[in-house]
Amino acid sequence: MGSRFEVSAIDPDPKIAWDGINAAIAEIIRIENLISSWNPESQTSEINRKAGIMPVSVDQELFELIQRAVQISKITDGAFDITYASMDKVWKFDGSMISMPDSNTVRQASSRTDYRKIQLDPGRREVFLKEKGMKIGFGAIGKGYAAQKAKEKMIALGIKNGVVNAAGDLIAWGRDIDNKKIKVGIADPEHKDRILSWLTVDNGAVVTSGDYERFVMFNGVRYAHIIDPRTGYPTTGIKSVSIICSNPELADALSTSVFVLGVKQGLYLINQLDGVECLIVTDENELIGSNRLELNNKS
Ligand code: AMP
Ligand code: MG
């Protein structure tokens, strides 16, 4: 998934802890092979290759992940959209882009971005992208999904306390080594190694989308690596969004969604969702929390 995963297990028996960690790593690799759009062998790549040509029959697991992704597109009014991936030829956040792409190119690519053009046949477990050139990608949801599945493997092996950290998408359960609730630091978007605020995690996930990871600057405007599927342009105005809830997959998808929706609409959505909180850092370094967010400023 192009990201560094860290897996921790706390158990008095080192063998149990290591077995848990190894099972989590194997699970993360298995998921990578299913959902990666970089690996030409993955089912996801096959779906993309057959876009506009024919439906592809996939594993139940991948089918359900796509169904859930489409569901999130619906509740976010299209702000979250796994078909954003057709834009990856237009916007590059690896330093290779030296000028703004022209508006025609953006318009053309964004016409292929539309979750409503993903056709799902549950009976046959078939996925069809209706237009040639369409592509799906799990960059905004896959790490959270993998973290959840890795946790499930560890719990099945008896690991009662652990952390899976997928490049900042984090899930923790149980207690830390001092038998205290696990605390997670939210990084300062300006200085990644500084902690802006602490959150106590009680069997839950904290997932952060941040444009300090990847962005480009044109004419003094900072464009994040998250694309607004409705315009085809990268989002501006927000530096980072952290989502706190029990499900890391949902947290992952929602962190990306709030980036696209912006502060006002993003908070409106999160405040309606039970058990989901968020913390936004704006371009002006303003910290804005959802209604029931409780921050802990001591480490
Ligand atoms: P995250 O760090 O979870 O916010 O994910 C960001 C990644 O999600 C980007 O690098 C893209 O791979 C992908 N992405 C960008 N824009 C969108 C979008 N509007 N909906 C879904 N995925 C997106
Ligand atoms: Mg995300």
Side-chain angles (χ1 to χ4, degrees):
M1 279 166 257
S3 304
R4 183 190 163 89
F5 277 71
E6 283 174 9
V7 182
S8 315
I10 302 168
D11 196 279
D13 182 343
K15 165 134 189 3
I16 294 185
W18 277 115
D19 284 353
I21 288 172
N22 287 328
I25 293 170
E27 181 68 352
I28 292 161
I29 293 170
R30 187 188 69 76
I31 293 168
E32 159 95 31
N33 288 334
L34 187 67
I35 68 172
S36 161
S37 35
W38 303 111
N39 173 0
E41 306 292 318
S42 74
Q43 293 187 356
T44 304
S45 294
E46 200 188 344
I47 295 172
N48 289 342
R49 261 196 310 273
K50 303 265 171 71
I53 304 171
M54 63 191 287
V56 175
S57 167
V58 299
D59 288 359
Q60 185 70 22
E61 181 180 7
L62 182 59
F63 191 86
E64 286 175 8
L65 178 65
I66 296 172
Q67 274 183 320
R68 293 195 299 275
V70 168
Q71 210 52 45
I72 293 168
S73 293
K74 287 182 185 156
I75 66 166
T76 60
D77 230 348
F80 178 88
D81 192 332
I82 53 173
T83 67
Y84 86 91
S86 62
M87 305 289 298
D88 66 359
K89 295 263 179 321
V90 180
W91 297 103
K92 291 196 165 59
F93 300 96
D94 56 4
S96 64
M97 197 164 55
I98 44 169
S99 61
M100 279 288 260
D102 73 88
S103 55
N104 269 337
T105 315
V106 174
R107 202 171 316 121
Q108 249 184 13
S110 74
S111 72
R112 294 191 283 269
T113 301
D114 188 346
Y115 69 95
R116 287 163 295 202
K117 294 181 189 161
I118 305 175
Q119 193 175 297
L120 295 171
D121 180 339
R124 299 177 163 208
R125 272 195 273 114
E126 281 178 352
V127 183
F128 180 46
L129 307 181
K130 288 191 192 165
E131 272 177 33
K132 252 199 149 112
M134 271 182 83
K135 257 170 106 178
I136 54 171
F138 297 102
I141 187 171
K143 292 198 298 288
Y145 175 62
Q148 171 69 21
K149 296 290 283 183
K151 172 192 167 182
E152 284 169 13
K153 285 279 170 204
M154 291 172 80
I155 291 206
L157 289 171
I159 309 290
K160 294 195 177 64
N161 313 284
V163 179
V164 179
N165 182 356
D169 291 6
L170 185 142
I171 182 161
W173 67 101
R175 293 283 188 268
D176 70 13
I177 205 125
D178 306 317
N179 203 27
K180 294 207 179 101
K181 283 187 182 173
I182 297 172
K183 276 201 183 124
V184 175
I186 303 284
D188 180 341
E190 289 291 299
H191 311 275
K192 237 185 129 176
D193 44 1
R194 265 193 232 159
I195 302 293
L196 203 62
S197 187
W198 290 91
L199 292 163
T200 307
V201 187
D202 212 357
N203 291 320
V206 179
V207 171
T208 300
S209 290
D211 81 345
Y212 49 83
E213 291 158 358
R214 272 176 297 151
F215 64 92
V216 284
M217 294 278 287
F218 293 128
N219 304 325
V221 180
R222 178 180 173 125
Y223 294 90
H225 62 130
I226 294 169
I227 312 283
D228 185 338
R230 301 162 301 184
T231 62
Y233 283 86
T235 56
T236 56
I238 291 181
K239 276 188 187 160
S240 89
V241 177
S242 300
I243 300 281
I244 304 99
C245 75
S246 60
N247 177 339
E249 176 190 309
L250 180 66
D252 195 357
L254 288 176
S255 66
T256 312
S257 309
V258 171
F259 242 98
V260 177
L261 290 169
V263 175
K264 205 167 158 226
Q265 283 186 44
L267 281 176
Y268 182 75
L269 170 72
I270 298 300
N271 284 330
Q272 288 182 79
L273 300 174
D274 241 3
V276 182
E277 299 306 324
C278 90
L279 177 66
I280 302 173
V281 183
T282 67
D283 268 357
E284 285 77 39
N285 293 325
E286 208 186 336
L287 277 184
I288 305 171
S290 55
N291 287 347
R292 293 169 302 259
L293 180 72
E294 280 174 28
L295 292 174
N296 192 333
N297 287 316
K298 280 182 251 106
S299 63

